[in-house]
Amino acid sequence: MLKPQTKGLLLDTTRCIGCGACALACKERNKLPKTSDDVLKDELSDKTYSVVKQVGPRYVRRMCMHCVTPSCASACPVAALEKSAAGPVIYHESKCMGCRYCMIACPFGIPKYEWEKKAPLVRKCDLCADRLEKGLKTGCATACPTGATSFGDRDALIAEAKERFRANPGRYNEHIYGIEEVGGTSVLIISDGKAEELGYPAGLDGTAPAFLTWRVLNIIPDIVMTSAVLLGGIYWIRNRRDEVEAAEGSHHETPKEH
């Protein structure tokens, strides 16, 4: 369960004007190079952790969703990714061995790899974890001029989203994306469109994929033990049968005449 102080973001596409200030603030905070002359045509990469895309009539952000139970962390065999108590999913690059299981596990396709480097690492948004430790908002939320990106306690953001629904009847598709999807995320999205109209995966299960992985891993020892006992039993039976056949053969063998 999330702790009350867990932080997150509320993204409201009805307030986004596509200025890209959030993406530029992310670049500045992470000291990332410019990768596109048009901020709306930039793509997520190892050098770009947050983008704004025009999807039909709307502007929609793409970034790490900071899942409550992150699949990337569960898939990592060396604990290089970790869900922090404050909310961000953080990356310990000193632990990473470059297996890239996190990239396969992420239901949103967020982690990127430094393919061009000799010692590549995984890159993604860390929700400005260092700023949160200092009591500051994320860089993107600070830069947003319209309130399209809001920062705060996750529970408070959910309450804020519901208040926007109540105060603006008919303006929103009254669904908070990220409350239930993949077991919940720390980045929440509200819009006048459905998830698929925003380019986000729709119909995601409410159970975190990480739990499904753990269930399989939990039963593997039972399967291994059962298989070992079964194979051991077969080996004993076959070995015992050979011994019996050998003994019977010896018993019925005709004595040699002298």
Side-chain angles (χ1 to χ4, degrees), residues 156-210:
L157 293 173
I158 292 172
E160 170 64 20
K162 291 179 178 178
E163 174 57 25
R164 292 185 192 181
F165 293 164
R166 188 199 65 76
N168 301 279
R171 181 172 180 174
Y172 294 93
N173 167 41
E174 296 190 8
H175 174 74
I176 304 174
Y177 190 86
I179 287 186
E180 300 292 342
E181 285 78 6
V182 296
T185 60
S186 293
V187 175
L188 307 163
I189 304 171
I190 56 175
S191 176
D192 58 343
K194 297 180 180 178
E196 55 268 34
E197 295 176 290
L198 307 179
Y200 274 86
L204 293 175
D205 195 276
T207 301

Side-chain angles (χ1 to χ4, degrees), residues 31-42:
K31 298 180 174 56
L32 299 171
K34 181 179 179 180
T35 46
S36 176
D37 292 331
D38 185 343
V39 70
L40 296 178
K41 293 183 179 178
D42 209 353

Side-chain angles (χ1 to χ4, degrees), residues 104-123:
I104 299 170
C106 177
F108 302 103
I110 297 299
K112 304 301 178 188
Y113 199 57
E114 295 176 322
W115 295 101
E116 298 176 353
K117 291 190 175 181
K118 292 182 180 178
L121 297 169
V122 171
R123 296 300 182 194

